[in-house]
Amino acid sequence: MQTIPIVTATADMVLAKDVKRSDNPDGPPLCGKGVVLTSSLINRLENMGIKTVTVEGHPVWIEGDVTIEQQLAALERRFKKVANLPLMQSLMEMYRLQILRSMGEADGR
Amino acid sequence: MDDKRTQVRNIIKDTKSLPTLPGIITKLNELSANSKSTIQEMARLVSSDQVLSARILRLVNSPSYGFYRVSTISNAMILLGIDVVKSLCLSSSIFELMETTALGLWEHSLGAGVAANIISHKLKIPESEEISTAALLHDIGKVIIKIKFQEEHEQLLEIIRKREISSREAERELLGTDHAEVGGWLAKSWFLPDKLLEPIAFHHEVHKSETHQTKTAVVHLADVLIKASGFGFSGEEFVPRIQPAAWKKLNMNVQLLEEIVTELEEKLIEVKNFSLDIQASHVQ
């Protein structure tokens, strides 16, 4: 799944997560997971102040986006100095799963 | 080397050499010290400076606080508290500089603000607005070093890159002090409250924070997470370890950390949009 700015959402994308109001994240969802977006629905969500939506796959490539391999290599490099610490290893693993998920790869869990 | 440290310290003490401090601050201090003054009076004072108000509202509406559409200074004062708005008045000029001269650091700071907000809500730590503000400001020492010691700043970047050491190590070597200490001096010379000063001064040495160790621990963790996620650029590439003192103080566990990371990564998309919006507004 990929979380994208709502301005880049287009019809036929499928919501991978419920859309909730940012000022009331614990409230009822405005739109449920699995819903196929239409342009009027996107407009309505935009008007309600929604800034981002999470959709299935990785449909949007934004300038500067890098491939999954590049992201994973950069992650490993960032953790180079602390790779021997168990807690930091777990943290790196969390970010590895985040990258995989954001790129639409199989859900890591 | 100590000479250099004294030199840095003197520059901070001499507030005249720093980016302009809004004159409104003095008046605001007077007003807030007087128990009879109202929020409305203080808000009116800040609102009389349009540029300052615009800067503050922009920060208040940044994803770091999780409020949306705060449109007036008096609302900001009610939502964030007078101390926070006052600190934003003080730091807005430096923040503005950061926005235009060190975009990566600006994004790193915004991201840290968001992370701190998520952590304090998740762990139900009170005064989350103060914590977010401290996180927004935690690297303010880096901005001062960059503007006041341009030559050394270039060398710092070179050393950090070549020898793969942390910015603190490089700063200590070259300046005899580091950005956390410099930020602490600045906070002191601005009379920022200790709850903001300590997280700024000790975000790399949580155990040294005496009265606000929980807040310092949150800012430290926020800094580590933002570095881990690779969002923005703090000036160094490597993720530091989560300090055991912070982990203990916050009563953290891996499960909680995972929930925080997941929430943060979602929120960062919004921060990126916010940052792009601001950059676009500079171009116009």
Side-chain angles (χ1 to χ4, degrees):
Chain A
M1 62 181 126
Q2 183 188 16
T3 303
I4 54 171
I6 188 126
V7 288
T8 59
T10 53
D12 293 335
M13 287 182 180
V14 181
L15 287 178
K17 272 191 180 171
D18 290 351
V19 179
K20 297 200 171 180
R21 290 193 87 104
S22 41
D23 51 1
N24 185 15
D26 300 323
L30 297 171
C31 200
K33 171 181 171 177
V35 167
V36 181
L37 291 177
T38 60
S39 43
S40 66
L41 182 56
I42 295 169
N43 273 340
R44 278 218 309 275
L45 292 175
E46 260 189 294
N47 290 338
M48 283 190 257
I50 300 298
K51 302 258 189 272
T52 59
V53 286
T54 306
V55 294
E56 285 182 359
H58 187 91
V60 178
W61 285 86
I62 300 168
E63 199 189 316
D65 264 9
V66 284
T67 64
I68 201 161
E69 290 76 18
Q70 285 169 314
Q71 287 190 45
L72 292 175
L75 176 74
E76 245 177 62
R77 185 166 160 78
R78 288 201 294 278
F79 274 79
K80 193 173 128 179
K81 300 264 176 175
V82 288
N84 57 338
L85 301 167
L87 174 61
M88 298 309 284
Q89 280 169 3
S90 321
L91 183 64
M92 186 170 113
E93 182 58 19
M94 289 173 203
Y95 276 99
R96 200 181 66 81
L97 291 180
Q98 288 292 332
I99 292 173
L100 292 182
R101 260 182 236 142
S102 73
M103 299 300 282
E105 294 283 309
D107 225 330
R109 276 174 208 250
Chain B
M1 192 51 71
D2 268 353
D3 290 351
K4 194 83 191 171
R5 184 170 178 267
T6 318
Q7 196 190 336
V8 182
R9 182 154 204 180
N10 287 340
I11 284 188
I12 308 290
K13 273 191 183 157
D14 177 17
T15 41
K16 277 192 234 80
S17 75
L18 288 174
T20 45
L21 273 183
I24 280 190
I25 296 302
T26 335
K27 288 189 209 157
L28 192 59
N29 276 335
E30 283 166 16
L31 270 182
S32 61
N34 180 348
S35 58
K36 282 185 188 153
S37 44
T38 64
I39 285 196
Q40 271 69 28
E41 280 176 275
M42 289 184 248
R44 218 175 299 137
L45 174 71
V46 177
S47 310
S48 67
D49 182 333
Q50 289 180 6
V51 176
L52 184 65
S53 314
R55 282 180 188 167
I56 288 170
L57 286 177
R58 209 164 63 187
L59 280 175
V60 176
N61 283 300
S62 76
S64 298
Y65 292 103
F67 298 124
Y68 290 88
R69 301 177 191 154
V70 180
S71 51
T72 65
I73 294 289
S74 69
N75 274 349
M77 281 187 164
I78 292 161
L79 284 168
L80 294 174
I82 292 158
D83 265 357
V84 166
V85 174
K86 220 160 69 181
S87 317
L88 292 179
C89 286
L90 280 162
S91 49
S92 71
S93 54
I94 296 245
F95 227 69
E96 191 86 352
L97 263 173
M98 206 196 289
E99 225 179 281
T100 46
T101 64
L103 185 66
L105 185 59
W106 187 64
E107 286 188 336
H108 169 73
S109 305
L110 272 180
V114 171
N117 192 32
I118 292 173
I119 298 166
S120 39
H121 278 122
K122 190 98 201 157
L123 304 181
K124 301 193 170 58
I125 299 170
E127 301 191 296
S128 65
E129 284 75 30
E130 274 83 353
I131 302 177
S132 294
T133 309
L136 270 174
L137 301 177
H138 77 284
D139 271 346
I140 210 155
K142 283 189 181 162
V143 190
I144 297 296
I145 292 174
K146 183 172 175 174
I147 15 184
K148 291 291 163 193
F149 297 91
Q150 280 175 2
E151 204 175 300
E152 286 87 345
H153 182 252
E154 296 293 314
Q155 290 174 330
L156 281 174
L157 291 181
E158 181 79 7
I159 296 179
I160 295 167
R161 198 178 50 82
K162 269 205 183 135
R163 294 185 15 217
E164 299 192 342
I165 55 175
S166 71
S167 50
R168 276 187 79 215
E169 287 169 291
E171 288 157 359
R172 289 231 158 249
E173 226 179 274
L174 217 61
L175 301 170
T177 178
D178 64 52
H179 66 271
E181 192 176 34
V182 171
W185 290 337
L186 188 66
K188 199 163 220 155
S189 74
W190 280 351
F191 302 104
L192 290 190
D194 281 352
K195 52 189 171 187
L196 295 179
L197 185 149
E198 282 193 19
I200 295 172
F202 303 120
H203 67 273
H204 291 293
E205 295 165 302
V206 174
H207 62 282
K208 287 196 181 166
S209 178
E210 283 172 2
T211 37
H212 297 283
Q213 204 176 82
T214 305
K215 292 188 176 68
T216 307
V218 173
V219 173
H220 162 71
L221 184 59
D223 183 36
V224 174
L225 292 186
I226 279 300
K227 282 176 176 152
S229 102
F231 186 85
F233 184 61
S234 66
E236 63 200 313
E237 197 184 353
F238 300 111
V239 182
R241 71 177 297 186
I242 298 174
Q243 287 169 21
W247 187 258
K248 206 168 146 222
K249 185 77 196 175
L250 297 176
N251 236 332
M252 280 291 295
N253 60 56
V254 173
Q255 169 74 30
L256 269 173
L257 186 66
E258 193 163 6
E259 290 171 21
I260 291 169
V261 166
T262 307
E263 206 175 313
L264 175 61
E265 285 302 294
E266 278 177 28
K267 197 86 186 169
L268 284 179
I269 314 248
E270 244 175 76
V271 186
K272 188 78 202 168
N273 290 343
F274 177 79
S275 171
L276 289 174
D277 277 356
I278 299 281
Q279 286 170 59
S281 72
H282 281 308
V283 176
Q284 278 164 15

